[in-house]
Amino acid sequence: MPVRAEHDRTVLAQLLRRDPLLHAYQLGDLDDFFWPYTSWYRRGDQVALLFHGVELPTLLALTAPERTGELAELLEELAPVLPARLWAHLSPGLDVTVARWYEVSDAAGYHRMALTDPDRLARVTPAGEVLDRADLPALLDLYAVAYPGNWFEPRMLDSGPYVGIRDGGDLVAVAGVHVWSPTWRVAAVGNVATHPRVRGRGWAGAAVAAVCARLRADVDHVTLNVRADNTAAVRLYERLGFTRVADFTECALRRRT
């Protein structure tokens, strides 16, 4: 069964909706806002996405643990046509598969978490104001200090709510989204940061609560990615009602010469 490029959003949605928590980011990328920056590939009912909307193209290849072998077969056929350099989100074990063609570096384990206990979220008082393009300089300054390795792109301010908290007029905490799709009923919280001088006050949780309050009216599933060794962040999200639903690896890939 050969790999094929898939251009039908309806087909892709049917395949990805089998596990909307694992595939929340891909479902969000079916929206018109992201669709022009995507290339989709499938082999049977396994799907891989190459996202071009960031500086380094990003490959998303995720599946259930019992289906890893099938997705590995897709990647083996796809590898010759992928870019020479890219970032990747891979189900556990697939980094070994791609290592046949790529040098793998900067690998780190991540958890996919989902909001499964909204009662916990309701115990947190939301705070902050919705940011817009006028706040971009202050937001970039905050990320430079608090989250230099962020995944923020300015156009994300147009894709969904970003909520910021100020202290003395300065933007010191923020939470936002990577995707927010009322069409496909999924959202992914992201780019959460707090200035070092105000950490420990609960402002990141308050900003995340404010974002989630806006998202939940339009979606069925709210998810996020968090680095597995960031125990403080994992505990914060657990307090907010998120639970771990999948693990994956993020890594940089450079084609072997």
Side-chain angles (χ1 to χ4, degrees), residues 8-219:
D8 190 325
R9 275 188 271 196
T10 300
V11 170
L12 290 166
Q14 290 173 344
L15 295 172
L16 298 170
R17 277 176 162 168
R18 295 173 305 166
D19 192 340
L21 299 180
L22 181 63
H23 299 303
Y25 285 69
Q26 293 99 313
L27 282 166
D29 289 339
L30 295 175
D31 270 355
D32 289 343
F33 188 82
F34 294 108
W35 179 256
Y37 303 93
T38 62
S39 298
W40 300 85
Y41 305 93
R42 60 178 286 226
R43 187 178 190 273
D45 59 3
Q46 294 298 303
V47 175
L49 162 64
L50 186 64
F51 184 73
H52 310 277
V54 288
E55 181 178 355
L56 193 63
T58 300
L59 173 70
L60 280 72
L62 303 171
T63 193
E66 66 273 13
R67 308 293 298 278
T68 303
E70 297 170 46
L71 188 52
E73 292 175 353
L74 184 157
L75 293 179
E76 288 173 354
E77 294 186 34
L78 187 60
V81 301
L82 290 174
R85 294 181 61 247
L86 66 159
W87 191 255
H89 296 192
L90 304 172
S91 285
L94 292 178
D95 53 329
V96 176
T97 298
V98 299
R100 301 176 191 176
W101 302 277
Y102 287 91
E103 296 177 1
V104 179
S105 61
D106 300 324
Y110 277 76
H111 299 323
R112 171 67 50 80
M113 302 185 77
L115 181 60
T116 57
D117 190 352
D119 289 342
R120 286 192 181 186
L121 185 68
R123 298 174 196 151
V124 178
T125 302
E129 61 188 63
V130 176
L131 305 179
D132 59 27
R133 283 281 179 157
D135 300 299
L136 182 58
L139 183 56
L140 293 176
D141 288 344
L142 173 59
Y143 283 140
V145 174
Y147 188 9
N150 64 78
W151 283 88
F152 176 75
E153 293 284 335
R155 66 192 300 270
M156 290 180 176
L157 278 173
D158 304 323
S159 66
Y162 271 70
V163 172
I165 298 176
R166 301 183 189 276
D167 180 49
D170 296 328
L171 186 66
V172 295
V174 65
V177 296
H178 288 299
V179 297
W180 175 27
S181 175
T183 300
W184 308 109
R185 307 294 296 176
V186 295
V189 175
N191 291 319
V192 179
T194 307
H195 196 286
R197 70 177 172 83
V198 298
R199 286 176 181 163
R201 301 186 188 182
W203 287 356
V208 171
V211 168
C212 289
R214 288 169 168 80
L215 297 176
R216 291 182 62 217
D218 297 309
V219 305

